[in-house]
Amino acid sequence: MPLLSKIIFEYFDKNKSGTIDVSELKMIAEEMGCPLKDEDVEKSLQMIDKNHDGMVSYDEFQQWWQKRDRFSVLQEELEKQDRADHLEQWLEGVTQHFNFFDKDKSGFIHAHEFEALYNNLKQSYNLGSMEEARAMLDENNDGVISLQEYLRWLRAQRSH
């Protein structure tokens, strides 16, 4: 008698290509009570597709199917990717914001650039005086604010 994974694989391989494609994986997830959004089906296929040919072979399917928490694992990986994508977008936005105020493009916010940054930030954050804000952001007291200092300060603000 064939393995359950083989029976399921062959049942959902609707076009009998010997592989599972995106639409077939979507059907598997729906039929097993774990529907996925279209973009999540694409990402899931990429996670299962170990040789990166865009299709899931039976061997790849069997490795994934053998995991008792097969859909939980996919969901956790999708959530990790979403967090990584969100962090990447946040970092890009923060870097653009920093660079906007770094008028001389030195990679640092100098005293003459800080007032504009301070006026922008105080709209969203409780910074105290401009000197207090500069002291909070300039961790190493070198008189300039680096992107790293700015990122650390913003992360600390997010956790409050």
Side-chain angles (χ1 to χ4, degrees):
M1 176 159 191
L3 294 171
L4 179 60
S5 60
K6 186 71 167 169
I7 294 167
I8 291 171
F9 182 88
E10 289 175 353
Y11 176 79
F12 285 102
D13 180 15
K14 298 298 183 187
N15 62 4
K16 304 302 177 207
S17 64
T19 59
I20 298 292
D21 63 21
V22 173
S23 64
E24 293 164 337
L25 183 59
K26 184 175 179 78
M27 282 190 289
I28 293 170
E30 287 172 0
E31 291 286 325
M32 298 297 159
C34 298
L36 298 170
K37 295 181 277 186
D38 288 343
E39 63 268 16
D40 290 344
V41 175
E42 288 278 347
K43 291 176 185 176
S44 297
L45 186 125
Q46 291 170 6
M47 286 183 259
I48 299 169
D49 178 21
K50 300 298 182 192
N51 69 358
H52 308 292
D53 65 356
M55 302 290 195
V56 176
S57 68
Y58 174 68
D59 290 338
E60 293 165 330
F61 181 83
Q62 185 182 30
Q63 282 180 354
W64 171 70
W65 189 260
Q66 287 176 348
K67 297 174 185 165
R68 295 192 78 170
D69 58 349
R70 63 189 75 88
F71 288 105
S72 298
V73 169
L74 284 182
Q75 207 57 42
E76 288 170 14
E77 286 300 316
L78 291 169
E79 288 169 9
K80 280 184 202 172
Q81 284 183 358
D82 286 346
R83 284 192 300 272
D85 291 346
H86 179 72
L87 178 61
E88 186 177 328
Q89 290 170 354
W90 182 78
L91 285 172
E92 187 176 312
V94 168
T95 302
Q96 288 173 356
H97 189 254
F98 181 89
N99 289 338
F100 176 80
F101 291 98
D102 179 16
K103 298 297 183 190
D104 63 7
K105 305 300 177 211
S106 64
F108 298 95
I109 303 293
H110 293 90
H112 66 277
E113 299 164 320
F114 184 74
E115 185 176 356
L117 175 63
Y118 171 77
N119 287 330
N120 180 269
L121 291 175
K122 75 179 184 180
Q123 296 173 32
S124 302
Y125 301 99
N126 184 9
L127 299 175
S129 72
M130 189 159 58
E131 290 309 313
E132 290 169 330
R134 185 178 295 132
M136 279 191 294
L137 285 153
D138 185 11
E139 292 175 340
N140 63 2
N141 297 314
D142 63 357
V144 295
I145 298 163
S146 69
L147 178 58
Q148 288 76 20
E149 289 172 319
Y150 184 58
L151 285 168
R152 278 193 292 273
W153 180 81
L154 280 174
R155 274 196 305 248
Q157 299 307 304
R158 288 177 65 183
S159 65
H160 289 6

